[in-house]
Amino acid sequence: MTIRDTAEEWEIRATETPFTGNKTSVRTDDVVMPDGSVARRDYQVHPGSVAVLALDDEDRVIVLRQYRHPVRQKLWEIPAGLLDVPGENPLHAAQRELYEEAHVKAEDWRVLTDVYTTPGGCDEAVRIFLARGLSEAEGDRFQVEHEEADMELRRVPVEDLVRGVLAGELHNNCLVVGVLSLVAARGGDGLDALRPAEAAWPARPFES
């Protein structure tokens, strides 16, 4: 038996959008349940995101410390950002985020994993890339603002991040999933067996 997620869509009797924000919105659907009843489901509609686990030659990961207002904490994270344009190639978005947040470029890109962050209340899909062969990016640094103006940048050994995740000291979902996926990939078929950077992504289809 193959264990895998499958596409399925239940009947929607009615839908409305009670809130529309700058990047996301909230939708309310009346969904027909298997027993014929109708249940109301509220969820955030999200354009999707990319994240980059950038691994250097000393087995260190580029991480950023950033204030996240909803949870009232400064979290250590890997570079990440929104898919700004519908149908945007996620690899191009990931390369942009690595440049903007860390001023770094990478020679080797692979898909590390794809996740839904909170599928019970949000349709956000995130593609996490593994980037290797790092070097300093050319050109001027990206001008940051708002929370990003206070960011702290470090390179942290993989083993230290794993220890922090398992100790409950690191909480950002892309960092947690990315670091543990890296360790799992190494213990399996190896990093070179990961999917190519342009692998299909049904959750957010794109053109190469």
Side-chain angles (χ1 to χ4, degrees):
M1 178 180 179
T2 301
I3 303 298
R4 64 185 305 168
D5 298 333
T6 56
E8 185 167 316
E9 188 165 351
W10 293 359
E11 180 186 353
I12 298 173
R13 291 281 174 84
T15 186
E16 60 184 64
T17 305
F19 170 79
T20 300
N22 184 35
K23 296 291 185 180
T24 67
S25 60
V26 174
R27 182 177 298 165
T28 299
D29 290 341
D30 291 341
V31 186
V32 179
M33 298 289 112
D35 63 0
S37 64
V38 177
R40 175 156 288 195
R41 294 290 178 260
D42 303 315
Y43 59 100
Q44 182 184 19
V45 178
H46 194 285
S49 306
V50 292
V52 184
L53 194 144
L55 185 68
D56 71 13
D57 293 338
E58 298 179 38
D59 209 39
R60 300 175 303 176
V61 175
I62 294 177
V63 292
L64 312 160
R65 190 169 182 242
Q66 184 172 345
Y67 176 68
R68 293 301 187 182
H69 186 70
V71 296
R72 309 300 199 272
Q73 289 194 30
K74 276 191 170 183
L75 301 179
W76 287 103
E77 308 177 352
I78 56 177
L82 298 176
L83 293 169
D84 293 330
V85 180
E88 180 179 16
N89 187 314
L91 174 60
H92 299 166
Q95 292 169 331
R96 179 186 68 237
E97 293 302 328
L98 185 60
Y99 167 78
E100 292 182 356
E101 296 193 351
H103 200 65
V104 165
K105 63 181 180 179
E107 295 299 322
D108 186 273
W109 291 82
R110 311 275 173 147
V111 174
L112 190 54
T113 190
D114 300 323
V115 295
Y116 291 114
T117 54
T118 49
C122 179
D123 72 350
E124 181 184 12
V126 181
R127 168 156 282 187
I128 303 176
F129 289 90
L130 172 66
R132 294 178 292 174
L134 309 183
S135 62
E136 189 78 6
E138 300 172 355
D140 296 331
R141 286 187 173 273
F142 181 75
Q143 296 299 310
V144 298
E145 60 181 359
H146 305 308
E147 293 93 342
E148 293 182 349
D150 189 46
M151 284 196 310
E152 179 181 350
L153 176 68
R154 287 191 190 177
R155 296 192 181 205
V156 179
V158 171
E159 62 183 15
D160 291 349
L161 294 176
V162 172
R163 188 179 303 114
V165 168
L166 299 180
E169 298 168 350
L170 298 171
H171 307 90
N172 174 264
N173 59 349
C174 289
L175 184 149
V176 170
V177 173
V179 168
L180 298 186
S181 294
L182 173 71
V183 174
R186 281 176 166 171
D189 294 330
L191 301 184
D192 290 336
L194 291 168
R195 286 174 291 161
E198 298 276 5
W201 190 17
R204 293 293 185 273
F206 63 93
E207 294 184 5
S208 300

